[in-house]
Amino acid sequence: MAFNDLLQQVGGVGRFQQIQVTLVVLPLLLMASHNTVQNFTAAIPTHHCRPPANANLSKDGGLEAWLPRDRQGQPESCLRFTSPQWGPPFPNGTEANGTGATEPCTDGWIYDNSTFPSTIVTEWDLVCSHRALRQLAQSLYMVGVLLGAMVFGYLADRLGRRKVLILNYLQTAVSGTCAAFAPNFPIYCAFRLLSGMSLAGIALNCMTLNVEWMPIHTRACVGTLIGYVYSLGQFLLAGVAYAVPHWRHLQLLISVPFFAFFIYSWFFIESARWHSSSGRLDLTLRALQRVARINGKREEGAKLSMEQVLRASLQKELTMGKGQASAMELLRCPTLRHLFLCLSMLWFATSFAYYGLVMDLQGFGVSIYLIQVIFGAVDLPAKLVGFLVINSLGRRPAQMAALLLAGICILLNGVVPQDQSVIRTSLAVLGKGCLAASFNCIFLYTGELYPTMIRKGKQTPQQQEHQKYMVPLQASAQEKNGL
């Protein structure tokens, strides 16, 4: 009896699976908001230099007398005249009824608050020479995602998916809330990094915990469901950001719900597959019997025995793991090395292109709220097509097609003239949809391709004890089968 048969025996996709999957994927609605919230909290409104404190605007000829113009006739964002210039300003701002000498905005900037009343850019003047700091905040968030994937991925295999999810929900709630009250930019960046770490752990363990409690034939459905919830989160972000334009209020609004997620996550049931691969067969049996009761299969759960659970363990992977398997096997074993390098390239290409598109919404020249909705809407048909291809043709054709189409769209976008904004936006939207489908597939693909012993690394004492018990059981089974 395989482990999948045990899941079918205790109810398959029953009441427990429906409730736990729903509760586990619910936080993903706000994870999408955290990933791209800086499009709104760090939006750059139209701005220009503030005149000197001793300037007399009524006498100098108004604010315009201090503002040089660019070649399009718009006020310069980062320069002002050293003295007021009476008369019409010249196109490049080099001359205007005098020397026309310019200087940086030493007295700060005046921002157009009609669309964005308050952002981290306007609060901490992250423009002109400090413009790179705006990108630094998002880069540090992504560094947190990288660190979180490594740290919490490891901890999830050591401590269990449930415990790490509980920790991640609390860390996201606390760090996100603290970011909303950050008194200065460095502290804000530090809390954003911590948020990135915890959200990476949520993304990884959400998929893992759900997949490990579902029968094999439903995995593609679960992966697609998770992808759709993330897409709905993009719609939610557009609406919430439009209704709550102040960056501190928006940051707080998408962080506080994680306290509720932290509270109810204590009721999650740990993955029986993880208990089994960790050598804790008693906990495996207990978890399966508890699930059977929730699913209304109390009698079937009572019939389960320790021997059935042991026989259903991942025998092949445990046999391969008799040595001290570690992540170094990814480089030592030629087959695993090839797999690791290919998957790494897939993850890099998908992530690099995806976030390159979704993190520059102001560059499309249309309403930032509208483009956010369009980017969320394109995911719906894209992920449906991806789901159908995964189920009909398999994971590899789906992954290949999604990345190939995304690459074509992005390359074409690079040669379309800048003034063709409709064509450029359309290609970007299509490419983003393909990348979203690629993410759906690669999450599923990665979890299925890596052997459990590599995901877990070095064996625990419980696993080693499990091996001692496994050998005579395998010998007994071979003897019964006449092998």
Side-chain angles (χ1 to χ4, degrees):
M1 176 181 287
F3 202 94
N4 192 62
D5 297 324
L6 289 180
L7 289 179
Q8 296 287 4
Q9 183 176 336
V10 298
V13 185
R15 186 186 303 118
F16 161 75
Q17 279 81 4
Q18 294 169 11
I19 294 174
Q20 177 145 309
V21 166
T22 300
L23 294 178
V24 171
V25 303
L26 190 59
L28 296 185
L29 283 170
L30 294 179
M31 192 184 81
S33 300
H34 276 274
N35 282 346
T36 56
V37 71
Q38 195 162 308
N39 278 321
F40 302 95
T41 59
I44 305 176
T46 304
H47 56 279
H48 54 74
C49 290
R50 188 183 300 277
N54 59 355
N56 188 337
L57 297 184
S58 59
K59 186 177 180 180
D60 294 341
L63 181 62
E64 295 291 327
W66 290 93
L67 301 178
R69 302 277 176 153
D70 59 21
R71 295 187 180 279
Q72 285 74 41
Q74 298 299 318
E76 285 281 358
S77 300
C78 302
L79 294 173
R80 74 180 185 191
F81 287 122
T82 55
S83 60
Q85 307 296 304
W86 298 280
F90 286 85
N92 60 4
T94 56
E95 292 184 352
N97 288 0
T99 61
T102 58
E103 63 182 358
C105 304
T106 54
D107 292 284
W109 291 262
I110 296 175
Y111 298 93
D112 178 5
N113 295 326
S114 58
T115 303
F116 304 104
S118 175
T119 69
I120 64 170
V121 171
T122 62
E123 182 160 336
W124 293 313
D125 288 332
L126 306 182
V127 292
C128 299
S129 60
H130 297 143
R131 189 185 182 95
L133 294 178
R134 172 181 177 270
Q135 303 299 334
L136 176 64
Q138 184 65 23
S139 297
L140 289 175
Y141 174 82
M142 288 301 177
V143 169
V145 172
L146 174 63
L147 295 176
M150 294 188 294
V151 172
F152 293 120
Y154 174 82
L155 290 178
D157 286 333
R158 292 299 176 203
L159 305 177
R161 289 77 165 101
R162 173 180 169 273
K163 291 179 181 178
V164 172
L165 270 178
I166 292 173
L167 172 62
N168 290 154
Y169 291 146
L170 179 61
Q171 181 174 327
T172 302
V174 173
S175 59
T177 301
C178 289
F181 294 99
N184 53 56
F185 183 69
I187 293 179
Y188 169 80
C189 288
F191 284 122
R192 283 287 287 166
L193 185 145
L194 291 175
S195 294
M197 289 184 64
S198 56
L199 287 163
I202 290 173
L204 292 174
N205 290 292
C206 164
M207 174 67 82
T208 304
L209 185 60
N210 280 339
V211 165
E212 290 181 344
W213 268 122
M214 298 294 285
I216 292 176
H217 70 277
T218 65
R219 285 180 176 177
C221 296
V222 173
T224 303
L225 172 65
I226 291 174
Y228 271 119
V229 171
Y230 187 88
S231 298
L232 291 175
Q234 297 181 58
F235 284 106
L236 180 65
L237 174 61
V240 172
Y242 183 80
V244 187
H246 193 292
W247 81 267
R248 289 187 183 272
H249 300 161
L250 177 59
Q251 178 70 39
L252 188 64
L253 192 60
I254 65 174
S255 301
V256 168
F258 280 89
F259 285 108
F261 304 148
F262 165 71
I263 292 172
Y264 76 58
S265 63
W266 287 88
F267 297 98
F268 291 164
I269 298 179
E270 182 59 270
S271 166
R273 289 182 185 270
W274 178 80
H275 282 316
S276 175
S277 60
S278 299
R280 297 301 306 271
L281 301 185
D282 55 333
L283 297 180
T284 304
L285 179 60
R286 192 181 307 168
L288 289 170
Q289 290 175 337
R290 184 180 174 189
V291 169
R293 290 194 298 272
I294 297 174
N295 285 340
K297 300 284 185 178
R298 184 181 297 270
E299 292 183 3
E300 286 79 356
K303 293 177 183 178
L304 289 176
S305 66
M306 186 68 75
E307 184 175 347
Q308 280 181 295
V309 173
L310 186 55
R311 288 181 183 278
S313 297
L314 307 178
Q315 298 184 24
K316 181 179 179 180
E317 291 184 358
L318 284 173
T319 303
M320 292 172 60
K322 287 180 181 179
Q324 297 298 314
S326 70
M328 289 304 296
E329 294 294 333
L330 291 173
L331 301 178
R332 284 197 290 261
C333 176
T335 302
L336 290 176
R337 182 169 63 246
H338 176 76
L339 176 65
F340 170 70
L341 292 176
C342 287
L343 287 176
S344 298
M345 291 177 63
L346 289 178
W347 275 106
F348 177 81
T350 304
S351 302
F352 188 80
Y354 182 89
Y355 286 105
L357 288 175
V358 303
M359 291 309 301
D360 188 28
L361 299 188
Q362 282 189 292
F364 290 102
V366 297
S367 169
I368 190 173
Y369 302 105
L370 176 61
I371 196 66
Q372 177 70 32
V373 171
I374 294 174
F375 268 15
V378 73
D379 282 9
L380 305 182
K383 289 177 178 178
L384 176 60
V385 172
F387 169 73
L388 296 176
V389 174
I390 286 173
N391 275 346
S392 58
L393 301 179
R395 278 65 162 153
R396 183 162 60 178
Q399 190 74 68
M400 291 172 58
L403 285 176
L404 180 62
L405 289 174
I408 292 173
C409 291
I410 294 173
L411 288 175
L412 289 176
N413 211 341
V415 298
V416 175
Q418 291 285 343
D419 57 349
Q420 302 291 328
S421 59
V422 175
I423 297 177
R424 288 174 57 84
T425 302
S426 300
L427 287 172
V429 168
L430 181 58
K432 193 266 183 183
C434 294
L435 291 169
S438 175
F439 260 129
N440 244 30
C441 187
I442 197 172
F443 262 109
L444 188 63
Y445 213 4
T446 303
E448 292 178 337
L449 286 178
Y450 281 131
T452 298
M453 71 163 188
I454 296 300
R455 295 198 305 267
K456 294 189 66 59
K458 186 177 178 180
Q459 287 183 302
T460 64
Q462 290 86 353
Q463 286 176 291
Q464 296 169 4
E465 189 66 26
H466 188 188
Q467 284 291 331
K468 297 177 184 178
Y469 190 20
M470 197 70 183
V471 173
L473 182 63
Q474 289 174 320
S476 174
Q478 291 174 349
E479 184 178 345
K480 289 180 181 179
N481 293 324
L483 299 176

